[in-house]
């Protein structure tokens, strides 16, 4: 029987035949596809023809299609619907993929062709995008170690292989810690919790096969529990479990893994001639240097810390008023912040949540993209990798643009957080391809028969990830290597964070924030309170984020520490981290940084992008409104359609006319002086 991963896919729009694929198909398909890709690379390297853009760079762009298909399916299910078999395959595949990459980059004949083209680039008559792809291919090869020889080349291969193994292990340890911990709740423990939290606890209990309601380490459940539970002892227990993921001792402890990863990254940078990993990593980003990142973060740190400490002083008084003679603790913050928000803004999350139905928020995200970019969505009836997944065909003026897949609910088999990935990226050459894009979230699944309700933070996450999806779906470039989100790491969050702003447009909430039971629109008074409270508790949110970004930066600057927890404590002490605020991601569960290289030295990028997103949305406001067609057209033309085909700073300047300063960010967060 033909392996479905290797056979031609005849499903609509190139969707994978998920209903025919089993876990047993992955390993044999992977081996065949690896060998096929390597053979294609060897053929390019050994071509008797003189190097040309077409027979070398474009040929490399088209190589590995079978491998792309296998991996697109595998990594989609491995991240969003893991099981022991898939975890074992991840452990098997990760070092093989690293070795495969090293084999390509260490192919001296292939690199000689790339280098030859690079040296003759001005005489090749290349288009702007072809020249960009050639530059990125040459630069990426050099940074991957293609110019190394002998023992240094061998060591680079070993380092990258070990890093791949460690990143997979870090992720799987975290998933296991998150999946294994539950806190059963008695009926008495439910007192004081709003209905949506009770429903979430009961649903989590049913899903996990427990006799009653439970709290899990799913963010969509544990955060509202910390907000609303009057039981300080249970809040402490939940908070300690949430913040100790990856550092519980035993086989799933990530502290030693983090230390080894940092040492290997330092060695990798040194092999390439860089003083430290942060310098190496940031060279290709908009920020450029660690000092520029540090400067941005510290500009934000001081006003954020001052705001957070002022808020804490207010909440300490509330703690005393409750008769608690103890220091204000980290597990108190969300509880008293919620009470304070209700007092200051008369805004209660329990009152707000029935108006934020998942279905209506999906509809809102789709409708905003229709008004801005003319996109239309038609739901598809196709088998996907999990019953919770849904798919839509995306068209414009009747022309197919993309397939969008939404996987919204939390489950034990899904890693935490939210993300966007492309099972197929847009390209025109060497073969035309339309994007297939997935948004994965971890919203609490409701009991049967009840609508899924979101917190305001959840709704913002939905819009954020859909902004990434728009970057993929509206891509209009020649080559897949520069399409969609294939941009500088500190530019990739601009479209996602910018799209969050449309959730806060009053007319959007007025139309789509409708009550789950009555169907009535959110009352204007409640809508005004939501918007007025948009920057509430922003000191806390900014401090927990900036602390994580600074720790990440210092981990990779200078000599790496063999004790990351001590280094983390040292950095936090230097900046005066408030004791009642934890880092958003402590080292042992900092998956952004340690599950792979993606955000290593780059967690700051959300804030770098936020400087731009605040300024970019201001462009709409200055032009007369959130749906100004001329500004939307410029956004698509200069940013969303271009991917990485042009330098990020050049794209933003083309859209806005200049680069922004930090002032718009501070104003947007309510932290401006």
């Amino acid at each position: 029987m033909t392996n479905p991963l290797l056979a031609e896919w005849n499903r609509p729009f190139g969707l994978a035949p998920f209903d025919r694929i089993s876990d047993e198909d992955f390993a044999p398909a992977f081996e065949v596809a690896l060998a096929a890709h390597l053979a294609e690379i060897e053929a390019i390297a050994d071509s008797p023809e003189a190097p040309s853009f077409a027979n070398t760079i474009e040929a490399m762009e088209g190589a590995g299609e079978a491998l792309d298909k296998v991996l697109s399916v595998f990594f989609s299910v491995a991240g969003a619907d893991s099981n022991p078999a898939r975890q074992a395959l991840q452990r098997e595949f990760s070092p093989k993929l690293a070795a495969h990459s090293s084999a390509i980059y260490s192919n001296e004949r292939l690199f000689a062709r790339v280098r030859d083209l690079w040296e003759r680039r001005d005489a090749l008559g290349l288009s702007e995008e072809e020249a960009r792809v050639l530059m990125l291919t040459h630069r990426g090869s050099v940074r991957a170690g293609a110019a190394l020889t002998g023992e240094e080349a061998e060591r680079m291969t070993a380092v990258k292989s070990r890093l791949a193994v460690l990143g997979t292990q870090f992720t799987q340890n975290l998933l296991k810690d998150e999946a294994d911990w539950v806190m059963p709740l008695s009926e008495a423990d439910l007192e004081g919790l709003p209905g949506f939290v009770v429903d979430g606890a009961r649903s989590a209990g049913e899903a996990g096969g427990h006799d009653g309601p439970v709290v899990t380490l799913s963010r969509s459940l544990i955060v509202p529990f910390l907000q609303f539970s009057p039981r300080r002892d249970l809040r402490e227990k939940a908070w300690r479990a949430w913040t100790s993921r990856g550092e519980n001792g035993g086989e799933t402890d990530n502290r030693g893994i983090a230390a080894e990863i940092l040492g290997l990254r330092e060695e990798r940078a040194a092999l390439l001639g860089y003083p430290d990993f942060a310098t190496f990593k940031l060279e290709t980003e908009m920020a450029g240097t660690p000092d520029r990142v540090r400067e941005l973060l510290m500009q934000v740190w001081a006003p954020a810390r001052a705001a957070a400490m002022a808020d804490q002083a207010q909440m300490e008084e509330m703690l005393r008023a409750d008769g608690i003679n103890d220091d204000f603790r980290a597990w108190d913050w969300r509880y008293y912040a919620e009470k304070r928000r209700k007092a200051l803004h008369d805004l209660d999350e329990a009152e707000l949540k029935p108006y934020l139905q998942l279905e209506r928020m999906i509809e809102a995200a789709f409708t905003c993209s229709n008004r801005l970019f003319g996109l239309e969505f038609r739901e598809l009836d196709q088998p996907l990798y999990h019953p919770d997944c849904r798919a839509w065909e995306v068209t414009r003026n009747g022309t197919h643009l993309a397939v969008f897949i939404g996987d919204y609910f939390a489950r034990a088999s899904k890693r935490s957080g939210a993300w966007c990935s492309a099972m197929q990226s847009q390209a025109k050459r060497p073969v035309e391809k339309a994007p297939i894009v997935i948004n994965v979230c971890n919203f609490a699944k409701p009991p049967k028969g009840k609508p899924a309700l979101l917190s305001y933070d959840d709704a913002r996450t939905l819009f954020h990830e859909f902004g990434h999806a728009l970057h993929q779906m509206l891509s209009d470039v020649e080559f897949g290597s520069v399409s969609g989100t294939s941009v500088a790491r500190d530019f990739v969050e601009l479209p996602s964070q910018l799209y969050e702003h449309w959730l806060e447009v009053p007319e959007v909430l007025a139309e789509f924030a409708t009550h789950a039971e009555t169907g009535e629109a959110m009352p204007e008074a409640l809508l005004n309170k939501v918007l007025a409270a948009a920057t509430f508790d922003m000191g806390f949110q900014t401090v927990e984020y900036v602390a994580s970004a600074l720790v990440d930066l210092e981990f990779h600057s200078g000599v790496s520490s063999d004790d990351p927890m001590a280094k983390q404590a040292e950095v936090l002490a230097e900046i005066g981290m408030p004791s009642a605020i934890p880092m958003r991601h402590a080292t042992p569960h900092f998956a952004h940084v340690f599950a792979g290289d993606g955000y290593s030295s780059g967690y700051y990028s959300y804030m770098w992008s936020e400087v731009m997103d605040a300024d970019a949305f201001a462009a709409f406001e200055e032009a007369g409104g959130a749906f100004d067609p001329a500004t939307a057209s410029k956004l698509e033309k200069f940013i969303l359609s271009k991917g990485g085909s042009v330098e990020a700073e050049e794209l933003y300047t083309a859209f806005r006319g200049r680069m922004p300063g930090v002032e718009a960010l501070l104003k947007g967060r309510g932290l401006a002086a």
Side-chain angles (χ1 to χ4, degrees), residues 14 33 98 140 178 238 248 262 285 318 320 376 380 429 465 471 477 498 534 562 583 590:
E178 290 172 348
N248 292 308
L262 292 174
E285 307 299 333
M318 298 169 72
R320 300 284 176 268
E376 296 180 334
L380 300 172
R429 292 165 55 188
E465 298 306 333
H471 203 180
V477 298
L498 175 58
D562 57 5
M583 291 168 61
F590 207 164

Side-chain angles (χ1 to χ4, degrees), residues 584-607:
R584 183 170 297 179
H585 304 288
T587 299
H589 54 262
F590 207 164
H592 278 80
V593 170
F594 292 107
D597 271 358
Y599 283 89
S600 55
S601 302
Y603 192 62
Y604 76 91
S605 60
Y606 290 93
M607 187 148 283

Side-chain angles (χ1 to χ4, degrees), residues 138-183:
H138 178 263
R139 187 178 74 182
S141 298
V142 172
R143 287 170 61 82
L148 298 178
T149 58
E151 291 183 2
E152 288 186 337
E154 291 177 7
R155 182 56 188 161
M156 178 64 83
T157 297
V159 166
K160 289 197 289 188
S161 177
R162 181 60 179 161
L163 282 169
V165 170
L166 292 171
T168 298
Q169 190 177 346
F170 188 98
T171 303
Q172 293 189 354
N173 287 349
L174 186 53
L175 180 63
K176 189 168 191 332
D177 272 8
E178 290 172 348
D180 286 354
W181 187 88
V182 293
M183 182 171 72

Side-chain angles (χ1 to χ4, degrees), residues 349-415:
E349 182 85 20
E351 178 189 7
L352 174 63
K353 198 155 187 173
Y355 290 98
L356 299 176
Q357 299 177 68
L358 173 61
E359 288 301 313
R360 302 250 47 208
M361 291 298 103
I362 294 172
E363 191 181 348
F366 286 178
T367 300
C368 289
S369 72
N370 175 264
R371 292 183 63 182
L372 289 163
F373 311 113
L375 304 188
E376 296 180 334
F377 297 79
R378 177 180 67 88
E379 192 150 12
L380 300 172
D381 184 14
Q382 290 292 320
L384 300 167
Y385 62 82
H386 191 276
D388 285 345
C389 294
R390 301 161 66 184
W392 292 264
E393 181 192 9
V394 186
T395 60
R396 179 157 59 183
N397 299 324
T399 300
H400 176 80
L401 279 186
V403 170
F404 173 71
I405 298 171
D407 179 3
Y408 294 110
F409 295 124
R411 50 182 173 267
S413 62
K414 183 189 287 187
R415 64 180 171 89

Side-chain angles (χ1 to χ4, degrees), residues 38 41-42 45-46 102-112 146:
L38 208 54
I41 292 296
E42 288 289 337
D46 292 336
S102 293
I104 293 172
Y105 284 119
S106 62
N107 187 315
E108 295 178 4
R109 303 179 314 284
L110 181 69
F111 182 59

Side-chain angles (χ1 to χ4, degrees), residues 515-539:
H515 198 280
E517 294 178 5
T518 67
E520 294 178 358
M522 182 185 292
E524 186 175 355
L526 180 57
L527 173 62
N528 291 336
K529 286 189 283 188
V530 169
L531 297 175
T535 59
F536 176 75
D537 207 28
M538 195 56 73

